[in-house]
Amino acid sequence: DGGITQSPKYLFRKEGQNVTLSCEQNLNHDAMYWYRQDPGQGLRLIYYSQIVNDFQKGDIAEGYSVSREKKESFPLTVTSAQKNPTAFYLCASSIQGPWTEAFFGQGTRLTVV
Amino acid sequence: QKEVEQNSGPLSVPEGAIASLNCTYSDRGSQSFFWYRQYSGKSPELIMFIYSNGDKEDGRFTAQLNKASQYVSLLIRDSQPSDSATYLCAGQYNNNDMRFGAGTRLTVKP
């Protein structure tokens, strides 16, 4: 089955630690995205990538880093510089061009303990 | 600035009524608009998208786009309790950049 897989579903981080959230897709999509969602709020764009080895910052990139070494994979690292990382993180992908919907993974809920 | 704004609600309608959800956007470079539904704790799922001025209908859902007023809406006819969710409006730009509004929480009361 084609789709987007995020792992883990739940993640606990100690303060000061870096953690990496995994996102893999087998839809052959060129574009991939990372969004953050806080309780009762919409999605805020962290990073997006249109092609392998290229990515752009979204509105809230500070404290996060990404890589796009393979078309299928777009991992997100939440660094210790991110002061309030507790949130629901959603990865998405789409084909290139306008009028193309984004397909979402099931999300990772990150909690700082 | 690429901003998409929604009234966060909550919006409550009785079962069988029409629910009207609204969204405005600030960047005229937006090419297409999407409405997603998100149940609590789940990922968003696409309801429909629109990129031309006017109305687009799909079953009980109608999306409306007015580019002159920079306004997008979603109408849900014959609302059902299962429609209770948060509805997210998103605008897409030339380079696949997709921005979401804060979402409107809809409750349909039996």
Side-chain angles (χ1 to χ4, degrees):
Chain A
D1 285 336
I4 302 174
T5 302
Q6 287 187 243
S7 62
K9 188 174 182 180
Y10 299 96
L11 184 58
F12 297 89
R13 188 194 96 170
K14 293 183 180 179
E15 286 195 25
Q17 281 184 338
N18 292 354
V19 291
T20 297
L21 283 58
S22 171
C23 178
E24 303 277 334
Q25 54 97 1
N26 60 5
L27 300 168
N28 200 33
H29 286 170
D30 288 305
M32 297 188 74
Y33 312 80
W34 275 106
Y35 293 92
R36 168 179 172 146
Q37 188 173 36
D38 292 285
Q41 297 191 28
L43 279 60
R44 291 186 290 168
L45 183 64
I46 305 173
Y47 271 98
Y48 69 104
S49 168
Q50 295 177 265
I51 197 170
V52 173
N53 292 323
D54 185 56
F55 46 83
Q56 288 78 40
K57 292 182 179 180
D59 293 327
I60 56 165
E62 185 175 351
Y64 300 96
S65 65
V66 293
S67 63
R68 187 85 186 279
E69 297 176 1
K70 298 187 300 182
K71 186 176 184 178
E72 302 79 19
S73 178
F74 191 40
L76 174 74
T77 297
V78 184
T79 74
S80 57
Q82 171 50 239
K83 298 306 178 188
N84 185 22
T86 295
F88 187 47
Y89 290 86
L90 285 159
C91 178
S93 71
S94 71
I95 62 175
Q96 278 283 22
W99 320 314
T100 57
E101 70 171 290
F103 292 84
F104 285 86
Q106 293 307 302
T108 293
R109 193 167 298 279
L110 173 64
T111 304
V112 173
V113 296
Chain B
Q1 185 75 5
K2 298 172 181 174
E3 291 186 352
V4 177
E5 304 225 353
Q6 292 181 256
N7 184 337
S8 61
L11 175 65
S12 181
V13 301
E15 184 175 356
I18 296 175
S20 178
L21 305 161
N22 304 313
C23 171
T24 59
Y25 60 95
S26 59
D27 189 337
R28 291 188 180 271
S30 304
Q31 290 204 320
S32 49
F33 300 89
F34 300 79
W35 283 100
Y36 284 83
R37 176 175 61 198
Q38 186 180 28
Y39 293 110
S40 181
K42 303 296 184 183
S43 58
E45 53 185 2
L46 182 71
I47 297 174
M48 60 193 307
F49 71 91
I50 187 168
Y51 55 85
S52 298
N53 270 328
D55 295 358
K56 180 180 179 181
E57 187 174 318
D58 184 359
R60 295 187 296 114
F61 300 95
T62 299
Q64 300 173 317
L65 173 60
N66 183 325
K67 291 188 177 182
S69 301
Q70 296 179 245
Y71 176 87
V72 189
S73 67
L74 179 70
L75 300 177
I76 306 175
R77 290 181 299 281
D78 189 22
S79 296
Q80 301 298 309
S82 59
D83 293 327
S84 298
T86 295
Y87 289 80
L88 299 165
C89 173
Q92 188 179 52
Y93 303 85
N94 284 337
N95 55 359
N96 270 96
D97 185 352
M98 185 177 285
R99 304 300 175 105
F100 284 79
T104 298
R105 190 157 46 109
L106 172 67
T107 300
V108 180
K109 296 186 175 180

